Amino acid sequence: MVGKKIRAYREFRGFSQIQLAELSGINVGTIRKYELGIRNPKPEQLEKIAAALGLNVSIFLDFNIETVGDVLSLLFAIDDSVNLSLSETENQKIILDFDNPMMQDFFKKWCQFKNVYEKEKAEILAIEDEDKRQEELDKLNATQEEWKLRAMGTTIGCHTVIKKGSEDNPVRVYDLT
């Protein structure tokens, strides 16, 4: 999975494998092996690749989310890092809210994207020709992956550090670009 992410971000940045090798100081054959999944980069190699791509190394990490405990672990970590508030609606739905305009703006855009995605997916699933339906689903899923890449590979995703605030110390946003 790491290899696929390296390739996706390399292509997103418009770099060839040779350019990424030069920027990271890693042999091009090694980059190729990482992307093909033949080898996995060591942490220090992944740091070099991330730096060459202008990303935070955490973008390459995978989370194995299979249980409620896995989800809770991530939510607790998020709550420890940023101002996350929870509330319950009248119909007992839970709302996650971030006390940060940049995060709120991102989630608004994500919500809009998901609404369009779900609408288009429903239309595609109604296509009777199985080959055509699969072709359109593949295109839609590629669009979703590109949206995620753009979100994580932009200022919102990897160059903005958000620290948890308190009454005495308000939320701080640091743009590292």
Side-chain angles (χ1 to χ4, degrees):
M1 185 65 129
V2 171
K4 287 182 181 181
K5 288 182 179 182
I6 292 171
R7 179 179 179 181
Y9 282 108
R10 175 183 59 77
E11 290 175 348
F12 178 71
R13 294 284 194 239
F15 296 153
S16 67
Q17 287 180 336
I18 293 169
Q19 289 170 312
L20 179 57
E22 290 172 357
L23 290 168
S24 65
I26 299 171
N27 182 287
V28 68
T30 303
I31 297 287
R32 189 172 295 114
K33 288 176 183 176
Y34 292 160
E35 289 187 3
L36 292 172
I38 296 170
R39 289 180 54 191
N40 283 319
K42 294 178 182 173
E44 57 274 6
Q45 299 294 81
L46 202 52
E47 284 276 353
K48 290 178 182 179
I49 291 168
L53 294 171
L55 301 169
N56 186 307
V57 72
S58 66
I59 211 161
F60 294 110
L61 304 178
D62 290 324
F63 299 100
N64 188 16
I65 303 172
E66 296 178 357
T67 67
V68 171
D70 296 336
V71 173
L72 292 175
S73 173
L74 288 172
L75 285 174
F76 292 147
I78 291 167
D79 188 37
D80 288 343
S81 299
V82 299
N83 283 344
L84 171 68
S85 63
L86 303 170
S87 57
E88 186 175 358
T89 65
E90 289 180 13
N91 58 355
Q92 297 180 327
K93 289 192 176 193
I94 302 300
I95 296 172
L96 298 175
D97 186 35
F98 294 88
D99 184 21
N100 180 286
M102 184 177 287
M103 293 292 291
Q104 287 296 109
D105 184 53
F106 168 75
F107 283 112
K108 180 180 175 184
K109 289 175 184 171
W110 187 14
C111 184
Q112 291 166 346
F113 175 83
K114 284 189 67 125
N115 288 337
V116 170
Y117 174 86
E118 291 300 328
K119 181 181 177 209
E120 289 186 22
K121 184 177 179 182
E123 291 172 6
I124 290 169
L125 291 174
I127 297 173
E128 292 193 24
D129 182 317
E130 188 175 328
D131 291 336
K132 180 69 174 166
R133 182 175 57 243
Q134 189 58 52
E135 180 183 330
E136 293 299 318
L137 277 174
D138 290 344
K139 286 181 193 175
L140 182 64
N141 288 332
T143 300
Q144 181 183 41
E145 289 305 310
E146 182 177 341
W147 192 92
K148 289 177 185 179
L149 284 172
R150 289 185 184 282
M152 290 186 293
T154 61
T155 301
I156 292 173
C158 64
H159 298 297
T160 303
V161 177
I162 300 170
K163 296 282 186 179
K164 189 171 186 171
S166 65
E167 281 185 35
D168 299 332
N169 190 11
V171 173
R172 295 214 171 111
V173 176
Y174 303 93
D175 187 358
L176 301 179
T177 55

